[in-house]
Structure formats: structure tokens, C-alpha cells
Amino acid sequence: MANIKFVKENREIVAADGGNLRFKALENGIDLYTFKGKMMNCGGYGQCGTCVVEIVDGMENLSPRTDVEDRKLKKKPATYRLACQTIVNGSVSVVTKPKPGETLKKEP
């Protein structure tokens, strides 16, 4: 089982290993999208790039970046992922709607 900590929301959910990060977030009422993303998201197919999250802890517990992510996030830090393309296989801490230069650390 994986614990997914959403830092900004101060919420933690439990998911089975192999769960999709976007699906688990939405299923638990975590808002991944900015206003633009709410209007224009692709429904989880990796086409729009609006479900960007930052991984602040547990990157080793996620699936590797996909080719889609490499293209959509090429100018973003390596800690950024598309939630729709990310499979969770262990505990992780996530910042939703990250802003450039914003530094949030997981709580101890």
C-alpha cells in the first residue's frame, strides 16, 4: 500500500500499489487543476499537460517519466510529473499546482 501525502491540502490518502496518481487524487477530492486546466484538461490521456504536480519526497516510488512527460515537461524541473502519467508504487509527497520558485517541503 502507498501513502500519498498532498502537501498543500494537508491530506494523506492510502492507495494500492500501482494506482494512477491523477485518478487517486480526483477520487479523493484533491483539486489538481488551475482554472485553465479545469476547462481544457484531456481527461487523463497526457495530451494537455495541465495535471502537473511536484514530487517533494518519494520519487523512487513512482513509475519512470514517460515520453509524453519528457516532451510536456522538458523545461520543468525533474521533480515535476504529470499526475495522469504517474503510477504510485510506495509512499510519496506531492505538491499540486506547483509554482516556479515555490518551495514546499513535506512535514516531518
Side-chain angles (χ1 to χ4, degrees), residues 40-56:
M40 303 180 67
N41 79 74
C42 66
Y45 294 101
Q47 301 303 307
C48 66
T50 61
C51 62
V52 175
V53 296
E54 182 176 12
I55 308 303
V56 293

Side-chain angles (χ1 to χ4, degrees), residues 37-95:
K38 288 177 182 150
M39 298 303 200
M40 303 180 67
N41 79 74
C42 66
Y45 294 101
Q47 301 303 307
C48 66
T50 61
C51 62
V52 175
V53 296
E54 182 176 12
I55 308 303
V56 293
D57 190 41
M59 185 71 86
E60 68 279 1
N61 295 325
L62 302 176
S63 58
R65 257 192 185 193
T66 64
D67 290 340
V68 169
E69 287 179 285
D70 285 340
R71 283 192 305 276
K72 294 283 183 187
L73 302 174
K74 65 184 167 194
K75 294 182 179 179
K76 303 284 187 195
T79 56
Y80 279 36
R81 298 291 307 266
L82 294 179
C84 68
Q85 300 292 298
T86 305
I87 303 300
V88 180
N89 294 307
S91 295
V92 64
S93 292
V94 178
V95 172

